[in-house]
Amino acid sequence: MTRIIQGALLALLAATASAQETEALKVYISADMEGIAGVVTSEQLGPGGFEYERFRGFMTAEVNACIEAARDAGATEILVSDSHGNGQNLLIEKLPDDVMVVRSWPREHGMMAGIDESFDAVIFIGYHSSTENKRGVRAHTMSSANVTGLRINGTSMSEGSMNAAIAGQFGVPVVMVSGDDVAVAENQVIIGDMEGAVVKWAQGFHSARTLTPAAAREVIRERTLAALARLEDFKPYVLEGPLQLDLSLKHYQPVELLGYLPNVERLNSHTVRYVAEDMSEISRFLTFVTNYNIGLQP
């Protein structure tokens, strides 16, 4: 009888261990391009650049390195957000068949489209520093051509910190960011504890000392594994409402026109203020401001 009981207990322990090992781990990856190894100018960043097609491949490879490491760490479901430029950069045929991809714009929650409470971790690949940062490679927030300042409750925000706050609204922490040394440090200061994969060191807005693509992928793999190995250490970055967004634009007329909206206050010639209850409202407002054009078709 004792052997029967012992056998049953061992079987129960084995089943419990197996269930723990297969527990769902959902990872969200938001991928930008300015922070990819080797990227320094517009020649790598858009369809008109002579190096763009090659660097689409490097961007895809960095995302794949992150996916592979996440799988090794136990990830059972992964959603990848193509979050640069036109949102159509990743070579999706080179991604694993069992991941889902978010592409193009506009979309709810922008660079974090598809995020919800079911995810366990967020990872940023290829991110850059904010528009008010003097040092980072291609430093900007949302639009390098049009946005000159973006603050929430007085804090200058990067795309990383805004996206972390969107994830935080759903209780999901950011656990790792890759990019240049300035971007990694800036996001760690604003968002808090997270792993950082530095793949290049900023020398100026259009220059960097960079790892090779292969070396960058190894760093991303290492930091992804390190992040997911200590998942319980991370806390969501939560901004409690109401949230006061101060948005400064390069040109005078868009600010003047935004001032006609009843829920927008024009602070000066180039800055408007919008007050929202949460980051979802902030995201919707910014999506409208940065995408609307009365001549849009269809």
Side-chain angles (χ1 to χ4, degrees):
M1 182 66 71
T2 302
R3 291 179 179 175
I4 294 174
I5 294 173
Q6 287 177 338
L9 285 173
L10 288 172
L12 178 61
L13 288 171
T16 301
S18 177
Q20 289 175 341
E21 289 175 359
T22 58
E23 184 178 352
L25 174 62
K26 289 185 67 174
V27 176
Y28 187 103
I29 301 172
S30 179
D32 206 349
M33 201 167 185
E34 286 86 355
I36 299 299
V39 169
V40 283
T41 73
S42 59
E43 298 294 355
Q44 297 88 47
L45 291 170
F50 80 97
E51 286 196 308
Y52 173 65
E53 287 301 322
R54 289 174 60 231
F55 275 80
R56 292 179 71 191
F58 297 148
M59 177 188 182
T60 305
E62 288 194 12
V63 169
N64 272 335
C66 182
I67 291 171
E68 292 163 7
R71 292 291 194 212
D72 289 343
T76 55
E77 187 173 341
I78 297 173
L79 178 63
V80 179
S81 171
D82 190 331
S83 296
H84 171 73
N86 62 15
Q88 301 166 71
N89 308 278
L90 292 170
L91 301 174
I92 60 174
E93 73 276 14
K94 295 185 179 298
L95 297 175
D97 291 342
D98 57 350
V99 306
M100 296 288 285
V101 186
V102 181
R103 306 183 80 218
S104 195
W105 319 96
R107 60 204 196 197
E108 185 77 7
H109 294 128
M111 297 171 76
M112 297 300 294
I115 190 70
D116 60 30
E117 297 90 344
S118 68
F119 286 88
D120 299 289
V122 170
I123 295 174
F124 295 151
I125 297 295
Y127 268 51
H128 51 82
S129 52
S130 68
T131 190
E132 293 191 33
N133 196 306
K134 297 186 294 183
R135 295 184 49 238
V137 175
R138 300 287 300 187
H140 68 279
T141 305
M142 298 201 70
S143 170
S144 56
N146 296 309
V147 176
T148 59
L150 194 157
R151 292 174 173 261
I152 297 178
N153 291 348
T155 299
S156 178
M157 302 293 281
S158 65
E159 290 172 14
S161 59
M162 283 198 304
N163 292 336
I166 292 172
Q169 180 178 313
F170 296 96
V172 187
V174 178
V175 302
M176 201 277 276
V177 58
S178 77
D180 70 33
D181 59 322
V182 179
V184 169
E186 181 181 62
N187 282 293
Q188 287 173 328
V189 167
I190 299 174
I191 300 168
D193 177 36
M194 72 172 83
E195 293 288 336
V198 176
V199 301
K200 59 189 174 188
W201 289 260
Q203 305 291 293
F205 186 78
H206 274 150
S207 59
R209 176 170 56 90
T210 182
L211 296 177
T212 63
R217 293 195 295 272
E218 284 305 309
V219 174
I220 288 169
R221 286 190 188 96
E222 291 171 5
R223 293 302 93 204
T224 299
L225 285 168
L228 295 176
R230 61 184 191 96
L231 193 55
E232 294 182 0
D233 293 344
F234 303 106
K235 305 298 180 188
Y237 177 60
V238 179
L239 297 181
E240 300 290 349
L243 303 177
Q244 179 178 282
L245 169 69
D246 289 345
L247 177 68
S248 297
L249 302 178
K250 179 179 179 180
H251 299 293
Y252 184 100
Q253 193 168 6
V255 175
E256 180 182 21
L257 291 172
L258 285 169
Y260 281 92
L261 296 176
N263 54 347
V264 175
E265 177 186 0
R266 188 180 184 191
L267 299 182
N268 56 48
S269 60
H270 286 76
T271 304
V272 295
R273 174 169 292 170
Y274 174 75
V275 179
E277 288 300 314
D278 56 29
M279 284 302 300
S280 290
E281 286 190 18
I282 293 282
S283 177
R284 283 193 289 270
F285 177 75
L286 290 172
T287 295
F288 172 80
V289 170
T290 56
N291 287 274
Y292 182 75
N293 180 331
I294 198 169
L296 286 173
Q297 295 184 30

